[in-house]
Amino acid sequence: MAIVDAKAMLLKATEEKYAVGAFNCTNLIQMEAVVETAVELKAPLILQASVAPSVFLKPRVIAAIYRTLADSAPIPICLHLDHCNEVEFCKVCADAGYTNIMIDASKQDFSENIRQTKEVVDYCHQLGGVSVEGELGTVSGVEDQVRVSEDEAALCDPEQALDFVDQTGIDIFAPAIGTAHGVYKTKFPKIDFERFEKTAKLINGSKLRVPLVVHGGTGLQPDVVKKLVALGGAKYNVSTDLKHTLIDTTYDYISAHRQEYNPGKVDKTVKEAIKARIAYWIGLLGSAGKA
Ligand SMILES: [Zn+2]
């Protein structure tokens, strides 16, 4: 049952006011940790890989790991390509077995963003079983090779968002609302809740019905996360937290066991640490028991 595309999963989340955790992974240990935790908590799940790990590990290898883990899991799981700004690579990943593709042409002007996004939508929909996420406005910070300074970051205009969703035919929509990739410089970043709420109401109050995504999820305070979910955030992306957990846990373990040469013990320690973070996020997002 486990292999699905994201749209139906996220529409259910929108209706029931919880968010599905979308967790960025760079290796097998992380993917196993994420899936095991979601199974234990009976939570629907989106596994994500951004472009760099997808290129490094190869899309077919990531898709094969995903299929193996998802086949035996009693929960719905998607495999999502995060922030890809190349139309051709979007197609490669869709062909390889990713179930959701994010074409991020948000740095292009409006009409070019529509053109590129629509090309990916047409390709994926023709393939079948592959949904597409598009972005309007730009999320600041660094995600993989996509780097946007705060000055360049432009928030999404709700009316234009409705037009964008309508013209592209995307299944999932990422509006820029002031969240950022990487580590927030302040404990209380300026998030434009009003803009998010207006966008959610315009899009989901229309005939289109397209779930919204929160990018830059790491580092937001619990009350901010809950507010974004209540306002219509149905997919919640977490990447930086898991990168830090992987690197810090590995460093701490090796520093404390400098004479030990047992990779399995490092993997086990990292896996437990990742699982604890996933359980935290699933609890906060309200998706436990929703699978
Ligand atoms: Zn993002």
Side-chain angles (χ1 to χ4, degrees), residues 21-166:
F23 301 108
N24 280 63
C25 296
T26 53
N27 67 26
L28 170 64
I29 305 299
Q30 282 180 316
M31 289 172 84
E32 284 184 328
V34 171
V35 172
E36 273 180 27
T37 314
V39 168
E40 284 162 16
L41 296 174
K42 299 184 173 56
L45 173 68
I46 298 176
L47 277 176
Q48 298 196 152
S50 56
V51 174
S54 294
V55 169
F56 184 69
L57 294 174
K58 308 280 182 293
R60 286 193 182 281
V61 173
I62 291 184
I65 295 171
Y66 156 70
R67 264 196 307 277
T68 305
L69 294 173
D71 269 341
S72 56
I75 55 169
I77 310 179
C78 310
L79 176 62
H80 179 86
L81 174 68
D82 201 23
H83 286 285
C84 181
N85 55 17
E86 287 173 25
V87 169
E88 287 313 309
F89 194 67
C90 288
K91 294 179 183 175
V92 168
C93 290
D95 286 339
Y98 288 52
T99 62
N100 308 282
I101 301 293
M102 179 184 187
I103 168 71
D104 179 356
S106 62
K107 273 189 144 182
Q108 308 294 332
D109 65 31
F110 187 61
S111 61
E112 181 59 13
N113 187 353
I114 288 178
R115 192 193 68 73
Q116 291 187 16
T117 303
K118 190 168 184 328
E119 185 176 342
V120 175
V121 168
D122 289 346
Y123 187 86
C124 290
H125 287 182
Q126 198 169 22
L127 211 56
V130 183
S131 55
V132 178
E133 176 179 331
E135 176 172 318
L136 188 63
T138 43
V139 178
S140 71
V142 181
E143 175 61 39
D144 217 358
Q145 77 275 64
V146 181
R147 180 184 293 267
V148 180
S149 73
E150 275 181 46
D151 296 342
E152 281 180 290
L155 301 188
C156 131
D157 174 76
E159 302 283 350
Q160 205 179 31
L162 186 62
D163 200 17
F164 178 75
V165 170
D166 192 26

Side-chain angles (χ1 to χ4, degrees), residues 203-273:
I203 291 176
N204 283 303
S206 73
K207 63 180 191 322
L208 298 171
R209 308 272 298 137
V210 169
L212 299 195
V213 187
V214 177
H215 280 257
T218 295
L220 295 180
Q221 298 300 304
D223 59 324
V224 171
V225 176
K226 286 186 174 165
K227 192 167 173 182
L228 287 168
V229 173
L231 292 177
K235 173 173 179 272
Y236 190 93
N237 290 6
V238 177
S239 175
T240 303
D241 183 12
L242 305 183
K243 287 178 191 159
H244 284 219
T245 302
L246 171 70
I247 301 288
D248 290 346
T249 307
T250 305
Y251 179 82
D252 289 348
Y253 186 88
I254 292 175
S255 300
H257 303 83
R258 200 57 202 93
Q259 299 307 316
E260 187 181 280
Y261 289 86
N262 186 337
K265 285 193 175 179
V266 184
D267 290 346
K268 191 168 183 293
T269 308
V270 167
K271 190 172 175 184
E272 290 307 316

